[in-house]
Amino acid sequence: MTEQTFAERVSRWYEENARDLPWRKPGTSPWAILVSEVMLQQTPVVRVVPAWEAWLARWPVPAALAAESPADAIRMWGRLGYPRRAVRLYECAVALVERHAGEVPERLDQLLALPGVGTYTARAVAAFAYGQRHPVVDTNVRRVVARAVAGEPDAGPTTRPSDLVATEELLPVEPAAAALASAAFMELGAVVCTARSPRCAVCPVERVCAWRAAGQQAPTGPTRRPQRYAGTDRQVRGLLLAVLREATGPVARLRLDQVWADDVQRSRALAALVTDGLVEPVGEASYRLVGDGPAHLPI
DNA sequence: TAACCGTGGGG
DNA sequence: TCCCCAAGGTT
């Protein structure tokens, strides 16, 4: 009996222990999978689940979202964070209708050309929606590979081409098995090989883990630069957007002025929201979410 | 490339 | 309490 490969070990564990996440149900559409991947960018699974279900119930196909406005997308996004992703998803729906007959393309280069779709998301859709063989490298996979294969306590701060190569080398040849292995690597990193308190006692590759073998040296420090929030423009943007999200239609500038005392910073944040396509001025002294008005009349 | 882009929960 | 972290992308 030949020894199991790393991918086989993790895949077998995955088949027995995978979380029951709704977008993993057989028959989930490529669009639904794309939506899940965008929502999961920097937002924890538990908060994505209900938002994903509501989003797909309202917009089951790209054309349904494309027919509405960025404002609708921003409201539906709720408090998932980084609301630019909602606008990108709207733009994505428009692009799918205009360029791909309302479908999610299968080709990696076409996926990469979509708004808000980068190295990770494009490969995740190609693998999980279409069963293609691509390295799907997110923060979990980088950590798993860094530890189990390279013997390092943590991955580097950013995804590099070498990360894709290292992961690709672990994938089975057969595409469906490769896609399964990618999901399994991610799951292992999310549930067992976590950043702070890895649960090595229940790890399926504990006995072949290079990090374990090397004495499991502790992580040296934060993987990424510390992200402050309190007092930053990001906090002010969040406060402004929360007001606009709750409102229906335009909000007076005077009302927005009350969310933050510092005039300079508040104005800068509001201007940035306009630049980023989240907010637009209405008349002389009001603002609204982009497109937050009566639907366009047919020409 | 490093900084920027929200929000909330857990240790 | 505070800090870290979470299926990244864009500039």
Side-chain angles (χ1 to χ4, degrees), chain A residues 7-285:
Chain A
E8 284 168 349
R9 288 174 191 268
V10 182
S11 295
R12 187 151 308 175
W13 167 85
Y14 177 77
E15 289 175 321
E16 297 297 320
N17 298 279
R19 291 168 294 176
D20 186 22
L21 303 178
W23 44 85
R24 287 177 175 166
K25 246 187 343 183
T28 303
S29 73
W31 165 244
I33 289 175
L34 172 59
V35 172
S36 78
E37 294 301 344
V38 173
M39 286 185 168
L40 286 162
Q41 293 168 4
Q42 301 286 282
T43 301
V45 166
V46 287
R47 287 168 50 202
V48 166
V49 171
W52 180 82
E53 288 174 337
W55 188 283
L56 270 302
R58 180 166 174 182
W59 299 309
V61 295
L65 174 55
E68 304 215 29
S69 71
D72 297 303
I74 294 168
R75 284 215 177 79
M76 208 57 174
W77 195 254
R79 305 183 68 80
L80 290 183
Y82 294 147
R84 293 196 292 197
R85 291 182 292 162
V87 178
R88 302 263 171 64
L89 212 36
Y90 166 81
E91 293 169 348
C92 203
V94 172
L96 294 177
V97 168
E98 290 180 349
R99 308 206 294 257
H100 301 288
E103 304 287 331
V104 176
E106 297 189 35
R107 274 169 42 192
L108 192 58
D109 61 324
Q110 293 177 326
L111 287 165
L112 282 166
L114 296 171
V117 174
T119 304
Y120 162 76
T121 304
R123 287 171 176 77
V125 171
F128 303 145
Y130 294 117
Q132 296 172 26
R133 185 180 186 278
H134 295 288
V136 181
V137 180
D138 73 335
T139 184
N140 291 308
V141 174
R142 292 196 304 116
R143 185 171 56 248
V144 166
V145 174
R147 287 177 178 170
V149 178
E152 293 159 4
D154 264 317
T158 60
T159 300
R160 298 168 172 288
S162 58
D163 294 322
L164 296 188
V165 174
T167 302
E168 194 275 339
E169 289 173 351
L170 297 174
L171 296 181
V173 174
E174 204 274 311
L180 177 69
S182 291
F185 293 162
M186 291 173 64
E187 187 79 352
L188 187 68
V191 176
V192 173
C193 195
T194 56
R196 276 185 285 187
S197 303
R199 303 168 56 206
C200 300
V202 297
C203 181
V205 288
E206 190 266 341
R207 268 169 289 185
V208 296
C209 177
W211 185 41
R212 277 300 253 198
Q216 201 173 344
Q217 181 194 354
T220 49
T223 303
R224 25 166 38 123
R225 287 279 171 283
Q227 280 198 75
R228 287 179 191 77
Y229 182 67
T232 63
D233 285 9
R234 261 182 24 258
Q235 181 183 16
V236 182
R237 289 167 59 117
L239 293 169
L240 290 169
L241 207 58
V243 172
L244 290 158
R245 212 163 40 212
E246 310 295 316
T248 305
V251 173
R253 171 70 181 266
L254 286 175
R255 191 138 86 82
L256 294 174
D257 287 349
Q258 294 170 28
V259 308
W260 196 256
D262 183 336
D263 289 344
V264 173
Q265 189 176 23
R266 191 186 60 244
S267 298
R268 186 174 62 222
L270 184 55
L273 286 172
V274 173
T275 299
D276 289 355
L278 292 156
V279 173
E280 61 189 1
V282 180
E284 304 246 327

